[in-house]
Amino acid sequence: MAKHREDGIRTADGHLADGSWELSVNITDLERPVTVRLKGDLHIGGLILRIVQAADEQRDWSDHALWWEHRKLWLLKHPWTLDKYGVQANAVLVFTPQHKLLRLQLPSSKRVRVTVSFSDPVFRAVADICRTCNIRHPEELSLLRKPEDPTKKKKKDKETTDDLLEPLIQASGKAGTQGLYSKTMTPMYDTKDGTPLASTAQWFGNDGLTDGGLSVLATSEAAPADVLARRYRQESLADKARINGGWLDSSRSLMEQGVKEKDSLMLRYKYFCFFDINPKYDAIRINQLYEQARWGILLEKVDCTEEEMMMFAALQYHISKLSASPEIRKVESEPDVDAVDSALSDLEVALEVNNPSVPLGDLTSIPQLNDYIKVFKPKRLTLKGYKLYWCVFKDTCITCYKNKEDSTGVPLQTMNLKGCEVAPDVNISGQRFNIKLMIPVPEGMNEIWLRCDNEEQYGRWMAACRLASKGKTMADSSYHGEVDSILSFLRMKQISPDVQISSQSISAADMTPECFVSPRYAKKIKTKQLAARIMEAHQNVANLALVEAKMKFIQAWQSLPDFGIAHFVVRFRGSKKDDALGIAYNRIIRQDVNTGEPIKTWRFNNMKQWNVNWEVKQVIIEFDEEVKIGFNCISADCKVVHEYIGGYIFMSTRSKEQDDNLDEELFHKLTGGWE
């Protein structure tokens, strides 16, 4: 009988027959792969040690990790064995750095190169980027793939180096790497012009992103007319739905979703439920919000009237003029503000303490409105116009009577506005102050129009309608602030008849009006006339400070009917045709995919639960009163819609305590990230 050697049985090639096998591992930046012999019970940490020993290279390997391309999987759990991961001899592993270069387009359309972790979930990667750029509340943003235009051939992007910032922005969670925003050092800004105070300016002085002391991420420039014309394209609901299909999954890493090193992505505000916007700390955040709003209006991603476009153009012109002013860009040496006094001041503003403009009223009763209002219910093939009724607005209902004397009797009509759609139809020059209501009924939506006589009446009734649509009454503390916001928005659109803009003043302004309006209006209105109208509208905002003007722009953007609605093409259960699904910060809207007209609206505050049947990719949502809907997503993965709904639920439930301690676990639980 043959005797075996004491060190074990060997195969024909001389290797030990002890159950071990060879694994070939590619190492990034190394021309040759390394081969290690191991067993399935070896843990990942031990495999990494053997790879480093086999590479025989003196370098820092601390950022490297194992990537399994075939499974789209990072092997990050070092105590796990190869058998537990399912790694066998035919597996192709790559030993590669976790932090790689990413080309990123910010909401301001500026392009930066970012070193970011490709192994962390996108949610955490975005938080690292925002921490580095000093943008608070990173949960409001996410990464979006740039949609490809199928009608055009692939060409090199000519804009990639137009506004590339140098040096690189290092956004990562590596040890020793710190962003500009931290819990121990909070930046302080001047509330009038947005410039950093003395200590903050000194802190930002060596970050490589400053220009004259003011971070370039907090400054804004007018969009060149040629760039605007090149990017402008009329978009249908289907086009908008195609864009929203590009959102990355927040619970998975970049590499797991096919993003490669030096790929281009867009950083955008995804959830339009903005929390705690404070000009003292949010100069960069406010500017990025303003820029995303500005580009959305210029490219007509959000619809607005011609009158509103002139107001937005005037604000843009005013902001660009202030941003270019040396006095605004210069950082003045000012004494630091005591942190306790600053916190008390912020708390006083938040609680509206000693604010005489907000009356307390009778706390034991719910306020109501009583006015003569013109009411119109459009019908097909009808020539009837508005009818004048005595209307009483109480709780969330509007009750109509023939006249004031009959208000104690039986009403002619009662409308419950809870869950309705409220849209303005205002023309200041034509003195038209209409409120369009889409009231949900079992058959669909009832359309009702209210016409007010003047601005003050419109402000009160519009604010009441908006609160009633959310299930709130005029007793809510936000009612008076809503009225003031609506009236302020109207005043910005007003043009004084006494204001005369001469051709000399327009030429002195050195304005290019095509940079401040969408190309559609630039073609519709002649250049001199357009400049004159912008300068007329500018009279209402000429006294605003820089940050205040940006805040006014953001507030006006939020007042638009189509603000913050993400569209998807879906097929509802039981339907034979596709519909558009609009998801806003407080509601879900079923719309006609061709016309955009709302068919049905459901509010988040009436939602009981939602889930996904992952086998058939169907989203199922249950509401109060046994209402249940289901739909399949056509323009995007159902995970994107599921994450949108969960993200907005998370936004509505967050609190002040989550400012510095973001509940990432709750976010992923609501968005289905750990299913």
Side-chain angles (χ1 to χ4, degrees), residues 227-453:
V227 174
L228 188 58
R230 188 166 64 248
R231 294 182 59 181
Y232 174 77
R233 186 169 68 89
Q234 289 281 3
E235 291 183 347
S236 62
L237 282 183
D239 294 330
K240 296 177 180 178
R242 182 171 55 87
I243 294 173
N244 286 319
W247 289 107
L248 297 185
D249 187 343
S250 295
S251 61
R252 299 168 62 206
S253 69
L254 293 171
M255 291 272 279
E256 290 171 351
Q257 301 181 70
V259 179
K260 303 298 183 182
E261 186 174 8
K262 297 183 181 179
D263 278 358
S264 295
L265 293 176
M266 298 189 294
L267 180 69
R268 292 291 185 270
Y269 280 90
K270 181 178 182 180
Y271 302 107
F272 296 90
C273 191
F274 311 126
F275 183 71
D276 187 29
I277 299 180
N278 192 328
K280 187 178 295 183
Y281 311 120
D282 288 329
I284 295 177
R285 181 181 175 213
I286 289 172
N287 185 68
Q288 297 302 314
L289 271 172
Y290 160 72
E291 287 286 346
Q292 182 162 330
R294 181 171 72 101
W295 280 105
I297 289 169
L298 290 177
L299 299 179
E300 295 188 359
K301 297 181 182 296
V302 181
D303 293 333
C304 65
T305 64
E306 184 175 323
E307 200 171 54
E308 291 166 344
M309 181 62 77
M310 295 304 120
M311 177 202 64
F312 285 122
L315 283 169
Q316 290 178 67
Y317 168 68
H318 183 66
I319 291 169
S320 64
K321 188 173 68 172
L322 290 180
S323 299
S325 173
E327 289 77 13
I328 297 298
R329 296 176 67 87
K330 181 181 178 182
V331 179
E332 299 179 358
S333 178
E334 299 185 21
D336 291 341
V337 180
D338 183 79
V340 176
D341 293 340
S342 176
L344 290 175
S345 177
D346 292 343
L347 181 61
E348 182 178 340
V349 172
L351 297 177
E352 297 177 340
V353 178
N354 298 326
N355 190 351
S357 63
V358 181
L360 291 177
D362 186 1
L363 300 180
T364 62
S365 62
I366 297 177
Q368 66 181 37
L369 295 175
N370 303 276
D371 266 319
Y372 276 106
I373 299 291
K374 295 177 182 177
V375 182
F376 173 54
K377 185 175 182 180
K379 294 182 180 179
R380 292 183 179 179
L381 303 177
T382 180
L383 298 176
K384 294 183 179 180
Y386 287 87
K387 288 186 177 181
L388 189 64
Y389 293 106
W390 176 257
C391 297
V392 178
F393 200 136
K394 188 172 183 179
D395 293 332
T396 61
C397 297
I398 297 178
T399 307
C400 301
Y401 301 91
K402 188 174 182 180
N403 50 53
K404 185 177 181 180
E405 290 72 22
D406 295 343
S407 59
T408 57
V410 179
L412 298 176
Q413 184 181 5
T414 300
M415 299 173 285
N416 191 341
L417 304 191
K418 187 176 181 180
C420 76
E421 285 291 310
V422 183
D425 179 33
V426 177
N427 188 307
I428 301 294
S429 58
Q431 289 295 297
R432 184 176 75 237
F433 303 99
N434 293 345
I435 303 172
K436 180 181 177 182
L437 303 174
M438 300 293 290
I439 303 174
V441 293
E443 298 79 19
M445 303 286 279
N446 272 350
E447 185 175 353
I448 304 290
W449 291 69
L450 307 180
R451 172 167 288 181
C452 301
D453 294 330

Side-chain angles (χ1 to χ4, degrees), residues 19 21 38-44 50 79-84:
W21 37 273
L38 42 81
K39 293 183 180 180
D41 59 357
L42 179 67
H43 54 74
I44 299 299
R50 294 192 183 185
W80 281 26
T81 63
L82 298 177
D83 287 339
K84 190 169 184 178

Side-chain angles (χ1 to χ4, degrees), residues 78-79 142 229 334 454 482 537 558 584 603:
H78 292 181
S142 190
E334 299 185 21
N454 50 56
E482 187 73 28
Q558 292 175 293
R603 293 272 167 181

